[in-house]
Amino acid sequence: MLYREAGDFSTTYPEDSQTFPIRFDRYRYYVVLFIAIVVIPFMVNDYWVNSIFMPFLIYSIAAIGLNILVGYCGQVSLGTGGFMAVGAYACYKLMTAFPDVSMFIHVLLAGAITAAVGVLFGLPSLRIKGFYLAVATLAAQFFLVWMFNRVSWFYNYSASGQINAPERDTFGIIITGPNTDAWAAYVFCLIFTIASAVIARNLTRGAMGRQWMAIRDMDIAAEIIGVNPLKAKLTAFAVSSFFVGISGALFFAIYLGAVEVGEVFGITKSFLVLFMIIIGGLGSVFGSFAGAAFLVLLPVLLKVIGVDWFGWPTDIVAHLNLVVVGALIILFLIVEPHGLAQLWRLAKEKLRLWPFPH
């Protein structure tokens, strides 16, 4: 009975076109933000942060970035893991070269460097699309991983070939290294996640987002009506790579602390983020969060049920996770191509009309 538009009057165009036109949606959004910012930091421990919250926040940023490219602009990409590696290694080089600079600056600069690399590898999209573009971005994935493995300058000539995040603080609070408090790492990632979601939502609802969607729907028709395909596709690659680079920097510096590029940012990572937006919903910022939450919570849930409750071997539970994810991808592609976001949208529509059938 609370989810109604009765009494919600819009007197200006900005009020009518706001992200949450229904008052109940706005209140729910503020409550979620309040819990995430004020309540959770005082209640979390290392297990919750490292197992659930930080992977969810970081993967959400990566999924938002890939969703901009694939869901909104229609440019297929399989190089997400490689671009996350660019963000991680750029952040590492900045942290070691400029130890006195704030970590916020390091992460943002890592995202900017990844955006430049994304534009470079996005140039083939001006000539090819579909399966051929997917192969081109897959080549970028393998090339970037090979480069970070072979060029020792990227890992500062370390004998192991591994990069380790040095201890750094922000406003006197340690956020990288083994002495980092769980709440500090969580809040640092949360700031970037909220900012990424707000920026992505405003970009996709503005003129740039409409250009991306015009290219996605039919690039020839979009060019006829005045959309510049060069600008639209390259800006999509730049913005997408910027978010993915930020997620890679956070994944290395805040979450893992040490990275070997082939193991952490391999092709598996690219497919994982792609599965997130397929299950969550293409062309939806909320779908990016839903897909990230689902694929982060699913292994934890299967472990609790399979290992803790039924006593199954961990390897069987790990393979069961792959089977469940694969089956869900097939199911969503057949039954509901727009993923969890569309199911959530339909549920809200039913609530707005309940108890009436139409």
Side-chain angles (χ1 to χ4, degrees), residues 28-285:
R28 175 172 49 85
Y29 171 73
Y30 295 143
V31 169
V32 171
L33 278 182
F34 178 80
I35 294 174
I37 297 172
V38 179
V39 178
I40 292 180
F42 295 99
M43 300 179 61
V44 293
N45 53 28
D46 288 338
Y47 172 78
W48 282 93
V49 169
N50 293 322
S51 298
I52 297 177
F53 287 115
M54 274 213 293
F56 164 67
L57 295 175
I58 294 171
Y59 279 128
S60 294
I61 300 175
I64 288 172
L66 185 61
N67 218 337
I68 287 175
L69 185 62
V70 179
Y72 284 98
C73 196
Q75 308 303 300
V76 183
S77 174
L78 295 177
T80 309
F83 294 129
M84 289 180 70
V86 174
Y89 276 78
C91 184
Y92 171 70
K93 295 298 292 184
L94 291 169
M95 290 174 69
T96 54
F98 307 100
D100 297 328
V101 178
S102 172
M103 270 300 297
F104 284 102
I105 304 299
H106 288 326
V107 174
L108 291 175
L109 287 178
I113 293 171
T114 311
V117 175
V119 170
L120 178 64
F121 284 104
L123 290 173
S125 67
L126 305 177
R127 292 290 184 182
I128 58 178
K129 59 183 178 179
F131 172 77
Y132 302 99
L133 181 59
V135 173
T137 55
L138 185 62
Q141 162 74 36
F142 288 118
F143 171 76
L144 290 170
V145 171
W146 173 86
M147 182 180 67
F148 290 131
N149 263 328
R150 294 295 182 179
V151 182
S152 55
W153 177 82
F154 287 110
Y155 49 85
N156 286 350
Y157 307 98
S158 171
S160 64
Q162 191 179 41
I163 58 175
N164 297 278
E167 187 174 286
R168 295 289 183 268
D169 65 272
T170 298
F171 304 114
I173 302 172
I174 298 175
I175 56 173
T176 63
N179 298 319
T180 306
D181 291 328
W183 69 269
Y186 164 79
V187 170
F188 189 81
C189 294
L190 180 66
I191 291 172
F192 281 98
T193 304
I194 294 175
S196 300
V198 172
I199 293 171
R201 180 61 178 169
N202 283 278
L203 284 176
T204 53
R205 297 176 73 238
M208 187 177 295
R210 298 181 189 279
Q211 292 178 12
W212 293 340
M213 288 183 278
I215 292 292
R216 175 196 65 191
D217 294 338
M218 186 174 292
D219 52 354
I220 297 177
E223 188 174 5
I224 291 174
I225 64 175
V227 176
N228 186 347
L230 170 67
K231 177 184 175 183
K233 292 182 179 181
L234 293 188
T235 52
F237 268 96
V239 174
S240 171
S241 301
F242 177 76
F243 289 133
V244 172
I246 287 178
S247 69
L250 295 175
F251 201 80
F252 153 66
I254 311 299
Y255 180 45
L256 294 181
V259 160
E260 199 285 318
V261 62
E263 295 179 0
V264 178
F265 297 117
I267 186 63
T268 306
K269 190 70 67 182
S270 299
F271 282 114
L272 178 63
V273 181
L274 182 63
F275 295 160
M276 287 178 183
I277 65 172
I278 291 176
I279 293 176
L282 294 172
S284 169
V285 175

